[in-house]
Amino acid sequence: MWTKPVSQRCKGARDLLPEDLELFRHIESVFCRSCSSWGYREVRTPTLEYLSLFTAAGTLTPNMLSRVYSFLDWDGWSGERVVLRPDGTIPIARLYAENSSCWKLARLFYITNVFVFEETGTENRERWQCGAELINGSPPAADMEIIALAIEILRNLGMDDVEILLSHAGILKALINELKLDLDERAKLLDRVLDGDWQALAPAESNEPAVQGFLSLILTSKGTRSSFVRNLKSLPNLPQSIHSALEEFDKVAELLDVLGIRYRIDITAVRGFEYYTGVCFQFLYRGQKVGSGGRYDNLLSLVGGESTPACGFALYMDPLMSLVTRGRQQDSKQGVVVKCERDTPEAIKVGFALGDMLRKRGYLVEFAFTGLRPASQRRWLVKVGDKPGEFLIVDRQSQRRRKVRSVDQVISVVGGE
Amino acid sequence: MPKGRFLSATAIFLKEAGVEFPNYSEQARIYRLKSKGHPSISAKVFQEKDIPVQVAIGNYDLGICGADWVEELVSKYPSSPLLKVLDLGYGRGAIYATSSKFGGVSDFQNLVEQCCSLRIVTEYPNLAEAMALKFRLRKFKIFPVWGATEVYPPENADLALLWAENEAEIIAQNLVPLKSVLQTNVLLVANKVSWETKDLGWLVGVFSSALGRENKPWLDIRPGTKRTANGFRPSMESIKIWLALPDGHQQAPALEFLSRAGLELDGYSSDVLDRRPRSAFDWLGVKVVRPQDMPLQVANGNFDLAITGEDWFLDHMYRFPSSPVTKLLNLGFGRVRIVAVASQDLPINNIADMRRLAQYGKLPVPRVASEYINIADKYVRDNHFSRYRLIPTWGASEAFLPEDADLLIENTQTGRTLAEHGLKIIDTLFESMACLIGNKDSLKNPTKKGKVVELIKVFSRAIEGN
């Protein structure tokens, strides 16, 4: 007896079934259309990159790097490791750095998979994301554009009430610098904070009372308007590095206020990406994180390009697919099944010719010759009769049946007379 | 239980704890042992590196090995079901990141800030990668080696990551201890599932009470490691050609061959292990390394020539088909057969029989053990095995059958040792002998090419005289 075998799919890998992919393509196409209408152009980078692209200080945290898929290529005797792309933005930065002569300002978007090892194997290790990058654009205008674009895409996907969490990586980095730790400890603390453990900062002590006070304020208070940033900025004796980061943050927040984009400010909302230098944001919908992004002004020079300001975001396909709903497809109603009374070569030939003409007019046509039983119902069934030029049309919606005598008549009946 | 550096101390510790294993010695070459007085405890002797893997897989409930090999596994595979149960107290040491006294690197921080690519040579590739990521080395290349790590810096590596008892030992090897990466000692490790479900308490209790004693003679045993000083001669500029010569079993026949060829080497003899012997030719630099490591090192241009086995040459070529390594000359000695081996208890006579066993579910996922991991992989793939598991080993592979592997790809001269272990040869993959390998790219250099041709002439004399 045949028993269902144990799945041969890799742990942490996933198949996308037709319904999944219809949803996937829908999200993709909304994303592409939206980006294109803002002047962004699509690019694609290879799945394999050199590991060294991601090990440069300031790109990925050691915790992220310890979960990449890296290996020696077939010509890897030199010890140079390659990696399955673990991040979407860094390869785009490399692509820009290597082609920057083509563009000054680049508005780029991409749809890509990234590979991150996840221990339990219950979550996807291959994740898709849709991202946009605005390279060589300065704050605050570029940051505002990127956030507004992301919001528009999410709205076009039917998510009207997206929550934005704002933060600023520059403030965090300046703050950790001000704690004046030795290099080892500084690296350790930064790693923990970037991995989301902000409480690691709580026991940190600064000799500067101003820094200490600032630290405890950002750990405990959150804001919803740019005035919150200005309040922080007004604190006395703040080190210059923190002050100028607040300054930049304030300008972005103010623009968002003007545009009526609502947000929450939580300085502790930076996660994972060491390369952010300025404003960072996360998008949440019904409590789920659906995307994130930020400013990364140092990344271009880290991947071998000229120092160039840049920012961008990525939307995550997995949560989007669970949140985006989409009305039933129209095409299944408008579909036509073509069948023959008897499957003679002549009848099949007529059936093919009919199918061809219907498809050219935009109909979905499925054949139902012997051995081909359509899995789903379509609205129309057309039977090719034994006699030349004889067709039987069944409208499954109204249960009406009609006999017609030519292909043209079939088309006019199916086409709504 | 470990072979190698901690064998003596472990043997004394077990004896003192009252669980002595007769025949647990380096010479015995018996791998399956029963405890005297406690026949319910059986043990197997492995290369230390294999022990954490074997315990994690669940082939063994408990294992004794250095913390360095535990971390080497866990740093790459953090979810390994391996528990550190007891610190046995002996074998204290550390993994050091070191550089050569004669190289340019003397400070770890400088290294971190350096932006050119660092070459790291080590027996601990996973620990090396974890270290490189932790300290955010900008660009690095890791060269895993089977041994002789200390001889690579400065010209063949910027950093060597190796184990030593203390800094003094590193310094005695003319190396600079830049950073201690990991403190180590000998551990009793347990498989997590065994620990949660089986009664291991009695044995652990015996160990614990031994550790509580006043008198601990096992602490006085020094680890049995052979170290050599990395003497560096400043006359390197005159050297045009680097030749790698084998250590270990291959050393004696290689020495005999070279003396027949009339190539005298000062420091390459059976009683002295100098890793940089001197030849009569001032243009010839010689280093003694593991034959397993030679093809990769030749590919990277660290050596122009090397005397290794065809087995290791092929293992390298199967992994890196476009490697610039090429075989220049068969040297005629060190003949072995590379064979496929199975337990005499299996009802099979050839590899097709084994595939059938696999197909009919008698051996659902055959485990294939070998030191030649790429040769083994290609062999089972070419024989159309659909599912199989490769188990890399680090020597003494015949001990893996039948409990811990089903098929073994191994070299043999007479087949006698295999038969003694209850194993049978079911296929011969190829015959291998010592050969001279070189780097195609370095032969493009006319000066080098001239010298290589000169050496080939010298070697050919010995072959013709055979």
Side-chain angles (χ1 to χ4, degrees):
Chain A
M1 205 183 85
W2 186 83
T3 48
K4 196 179 174 184
V6 185
S7 172
Q8 300 197 53
R9 198 157 33 89
C10 278
K11 213 171 166 186
R14 164 185 56 167
D15 297 317
L16 290 172
L17 301 179
E19 304 78 61
D20 302 326
L21 217 61
E22 276 165 14
L23 192 56
F24 190 104
R25 290 289 191 216
H26 166 66
I27 295 170
E28 236 180 27
S29 64
V30 169
F31 175 78
C32 292
R33 268 202 311 273
S34 310
C35 287
S36 303
S37 69
W38 284 60
Y40 285 68
R41 296 170 72 198
E42 188 171 10
V43 286
R44 189 158 289 180
T45 61
T47 306
L48 282 185
E49 295 275 2
Y50 286 120
L51 176 63
S52 53
L53 184 65
F54 302 89
T55 52
T59 47
L60 289 187
T61 63
N63 182 42
M64 291 280 293
L65 281 169
S66 67
R67 291 183 294 143
V68 301
Y69 286 85
S70 79
F71 51 93
L72 292 174
D73 203 349
W74 288 105
D75 58 0
W77 66 83
S78 67
E80 175 93 66
R81 297 180 83 80
V82 291
V83 66
L84 298 182
R85 173 183 41 226
D87 175 85
T89 299
I90 297 169
I92 301 291
R94 180 192 54 69
L95 173 145
Y96 179 87
E98 287 166 7
N99 298 281
S100 53
S101 55
C102 313
W103 317 294
K104 267 195 81 65
L105 178 85
R107 289 187 165 97
L108 304 174
F109 75 92
Y110 61 87
I111 295 155
T112 190
N113 47 357
V114 296
F115 298 84
V116 179
F117 178 71
E118 183 277 326
E119 246 174 59
T120 64
T122 52
E123 284 176 44
N124 290 323
R125 293 174 182 174
E126 178 185 2
R127 299 164 196 174
W128 285 86
Q129 50 178 249
C130 303
E133 314 288 348
L134 175 44
I135 304 179
N136 215 353
S138 299
D143 307 64
M144 178 207 65
E145 170 172 326
I146 275 290
I147 293 173
L149 169 59
I151 294 297
E152 181 179 307
I153 294 163
L154 291 168
R155 200 180 305 130
N156 291 345
L157 285 167
M159 301 178 176
D160 283 327
D161 217 0
V162 173
E163 193 184 348
I164 306 173
L165 269 185
L166 277 190
S167 175
H168 196 291
I171 297 175
L172 158 74
K173 287 181 179 170
L175 182 62
I176 288 182
N177 273 338
E178 289 301 328
L179 293 175
K180 309 237 166 16
L181 304 166
D182 74 46
L183 271 171
D184 260 17
E185 277 183 56
R186 185 180 172 277
K188 235 181 265 169
L189 183 64
L190 193 60
D191 289 348
R192 285 183 61 187
V193 172
L194 287 172
D195 290 329
D197 179 12
W198 278 80
Q199 289 316 312
L201 273 178
E205 278 183 20
S206 170
N207 295 330
E208 296 286 330
V211 174
Q212 191 68 42
F214 180 74
L215 174 62
S216 59
L217 269 176
I218 62 159
L219 283 178
T220 50
S221 64
K222 327 248 176 264
T224 53
R225 307 272 304 164
S226 58
S227 53
F228 172 72
V229 183
R230 283 193 293 277
N231 293 344
L232 288 172
K233 214 168 66 180
S234 68
L235 292 172
N237 303 325
L238 277 183
Q240 184 51 42
S241 54
I242 296 184
H243 198 268
S244 49
L246 284 169
E247 188 89 15
E248 186 192 296
F249 195 13
D250 178 23
K251 285 187 187 142
V252 177
E254 199 182 359
L255 273 182
L256 294 176
D257 283 348
V258 171
L259 292 178
I261 295 177
R262 290 190 299 132
Y263 55 85
R264 274 196 304 136
I265 295 172
D266 180 353
I267 309 278
T268 63
V270 186
R271 289 284 180 285
F273 298 95
E274 203 171 334
Y275 52 70
Y276 288 142
T277 52
V279 171
C280 299
F281 35 84
Q282 294 182 45
F283 305 108
L284 289 95
Y285 184 69
R286 296 187 183 153
Q288 275 201 69
K289 185 166 147 185
V290 294
S292 64
R295 171 158 292 281
Y296 49 91
D297 288 349
N298 295 337
L299 188 57
L300 270 295
S301 59
L302 283 170
V303 299
E306 279 176 45
S307 174
T308 312
C311 61
F313 70 88
L315 301 177
Y316 311 136
M317 211 43 128
D318 284 349
L320 286 183
M321 285 175 71
S322 71
L323 292 166
V324 171
T325 47
R326 195 176 164 225
R328 281 288 300 157
Q329 279 284 51
Q330 291 299 301
D331 51 18
S332 66
K333 231 165 64 183
Q334 290 307 320
V336 182
V337 170
V338 174
K339 225 177 153 168
C340 298
E341 239 18 284
R342 281 186 307 128
D343 282 347
T344 58
E346 292 73 25
I348 287 177
K349 187 181 169 194
V350 174
F352 256 81
L354 174 64
D356 198 36
M357 292 175 80
L358 283 166
R359 268 195 296 267
K360 277 185 185 141
R361 284 169 171 76
Y363 291 93
L364 179 162
V365 181
E366 264 190 289
F367 290 122
F369 305 137
T370 309
L372 291 175
R373 201 163 58 179
S376 50
Q377 282 260 337
R378 307 284 173 199
R379 177 175 172 183
W380 301 98
L381 171 71
V382 180
K383 271 191 181 175
V384 181
D386 277 349
K387 287 183 199 144
E390 196 181 77
F391 301 95
L392 172 70
I393 304 172
V394 182
D395 179 352
R396 284 179 166 133
Q397 241 173 24
S398 61
Q399 296 304 326
R400 280 180 58 197
R401 302 162 76 90
R402 269 182 77 175
K403 274 196 175 165
V404 296
R405 297 226 153 257
S406 73
V407 170
D408 287 344
Q409 277 182 304
V410 173
I411 288 165
S412 73
V413 171
V414 169
E417 272 77 38
Chain B
M1 302 192 311
K3 278 169 67 115
R5 56 182 180 166
F6 299 134
L7 189 146
S8 312
T10 305
I12 294 192
F13 170 72
L14 292 170
K15 187 177 168 201
E16 291 291 321
V19 277
E20 187 184 356
F21 290 86
N23 286 322
Y24 177 41
S25 71
E26 204 66 73
Q27 298 78 34
R29 283 187 78 85
I30 296 174
Y31 302 117
R32 280 171 204 80
L33 306 175
K34 285 254 177 252
S35 167
K36 199 164 115 186
H38 301 288
S40 65
I41 310 173
S42 48
K44 196 142 131 184
V45 183
F46 282 103
Q47 290 288 340
E48 219 185 319
K49 193 172 186 172
D50 290 324
I51 292 175
V53 181
Q54 287 297 317
V55 175
I57 292 172
N59 287 343
Y60 298 86
D61 301 313
L62 294 168
I64 295 176
C65 63
D68 41 351
W69 293 117
V70 176
E71 289 303 323
E72 170 67 7
L73 176 70
V74 175
S75 66
K76 179 85 185 183
Y77 306 106
S79 50
S80 307
L82 199 64
L83 295 176
K84 298 168 197 168
V85 176
L86 282 181
D87 173 354
L88 299 183
Y90 59 96
R92 295 213 178 275
I95 302 279
Y96 292 96
T98 68
S99 63
S100 166
K101 195 163 110 185
F102 305 104
V105 186
S106 58
D107 176 356
F108 196 77
Q109 199 52 48
N110 282 347
L111 211 70
V112 173
E113 282 147 20
Q114 210 169 323
C115 53
C116 64
S117 188
L118 285 172
R119 299 163 300 168
I120 308 174
V121 66
T122 184
E123 286 183 66
Y124 306 95
N126 299 340
L127 281 176
E129 190 175 348
M131 176 200 74
L133 296 180
K134 182 176 163 202
F135 294 109
R136 296 169 154 80
L137 302 187
R138 170 77 174 89
K139 263 190 120 177
F140 57 89
K141 290 173 175 182
I142 293 169
F143 298 111
V145 292
W146 288 62
T149 316
E150 68 275 12
V151 78
Y152 287 88
E155 67 279 40
N156 305 141
D158 305 296
L159 268 186
L161 205 69
L162 48 82
W163 179 85
E165 279 187 274
N166 47 46
E167 292 200 353
E169 199 186 315
I170 300 285
I171 292 162
Q173 296 175 80
N174 282 328
L175 296 173
V176 186
L178 298 176
K179 201 170 187 69
S180 150
V181 178
L182 177 76
Q183 296 294 322
T184 71
N185 51 278
V186 174
L187 296 176
L188 178 73
V189 291
N191 176 273
K192 190 160 174 267
V193 179
S194 301
W195 182 255
E196 286 165 354
T197 57
K198 279 187 175 177
D199 183 10
L200 308 174
W202 175 80
L203 191 57
V204 175
V206 165
F207 287 176
S208 304
S209 67
L211 291 175
R213 269 192 234 155
E214 287 275 297
N215 175 26
K216 298 175 186 165
W218 58 86
L219 293 185
D220 303 331
I221 309 289
R222 298 293 307 280
T225 40
K226 264 194 223 156
R227 295 287 183 191
T228 51
N230 185 352
F232 171 84
R233 294 180 312 286
S235 65
M236 289 245 308
E237 297 75 50
S238 63
I239 292 174
K240 306 282 185 290
I241 292 286
W242 279 100
L243 168 70
L245 293 180
D247 63 2
H249 300 305
Q250 295 268 17
Q251 184 171 350
L255 181 64
E256 197 263 337
F257 174 82
L258 292 173
S259 63
R260 226 171 339 113
L263 188 70
E264 294 298 334
L265 287 167
D266 181 12
Y268 189 60
S269 64
S270 43
D271 49 334
V272 196
L273 181 65
D274 182 344
R275 293 219 174 259
R276 292 170 184 261
R278 288 149 297 277
S279 79
F281 303 117
D282 63 346
W283 47 266
L284 182 67
V286 180
K287 270 195 195 186
V288 180
V289 298
R290 308 306 317 266
Q292 296 93 320
D293 296 326
M294 288 176 185
L296 190 70
Q297 294 299 325
V298 171
N300 283 292
N302 283 338
F303 300 109
D304 304 295
L305 297 171
I307 292 183
T308 183
E310 282 176 293
D311 43 0
W312 292 113
F313 168 67
L314 280 178
D315 195 62
H316 171 79
M317 294 310 289
Y318 289 161
R319 178 65 185 85
F320 301 116
S322 56
S323 164
V325 178
T326 178
K327 189 168 80 175
L328 298 171
L329 197 60
N330 274 330
L331 300 179
F333 66 93
R335 284 173 196 274
V336 287
R337 278 191 300 151
I338 308 302
V339 291
V341 175
S343 163
Q344 284 171 2
D345 301 333
L346 277 186
I348 60 168
N349 293 311
N350 52 47
I351 190 69
D353 287 349
M354 179 163 256
R355 186 180 57 235
R356 273 189 286 276
L357 279 190
Q359 269 166 356
Y360 299 137
K362 298 246 169 64
L363 211 58
V365 185
R367 298 160 301 169
V368 185
S370 187
E371 289 182 71
Y372 310 109
I373 206 68
N374 305 306
I375 293 174
D377 193 16
K378 180 175 176 358
Y379 176 69
V380 280
R381 215 170 48 224
D382 288 353
N383 277 290
H384 306 291
F385 279 63
S386 63
R387 288 188 81 182
Y388 55 90
R389 278 196 192 141
L390 285 175
I391 304 175
T393 68
W394 313 93
S397 314
E398 63 269 24
F400 279 74
L401 296 186
E403 304 94 337
D404 308 320
D406 305 300
L407 183 69
L408 176 66
I409 307 301
E410 180 62 317
N411 66 61
T412 182
Q413 275 177 311
T414 60
R416 203 180 305 127
T417 319
L418 294 172
E420 277 166 17
H421 282 89
L423 306 177
K424 63 184 167 193
I425 294 172
I426 57 169
D427 198 2
T428 298
L429 280 65
F430 58 90
E431 301 220 351
S432 166
M433 67 170 97
C435 60
L436 183 71
I437 58 170
N439 185 317
K440 278 183 224 163
D441 299 336
S442 85
L443 291 179
K444 284 180 193 149
N445 173 331
T447 327
K448 285 196 175 198
K449 189 169 181 182
K451 296 296 177 198
V452 169
V453 170
E454 205 170 316
L455 266 184
I456 289 181
K457 272 185 198 149
V458 173
F459 289 152
S460 302
R461 278 205 299 272
I463 301 167
E464 283 150 19
N466 219 351

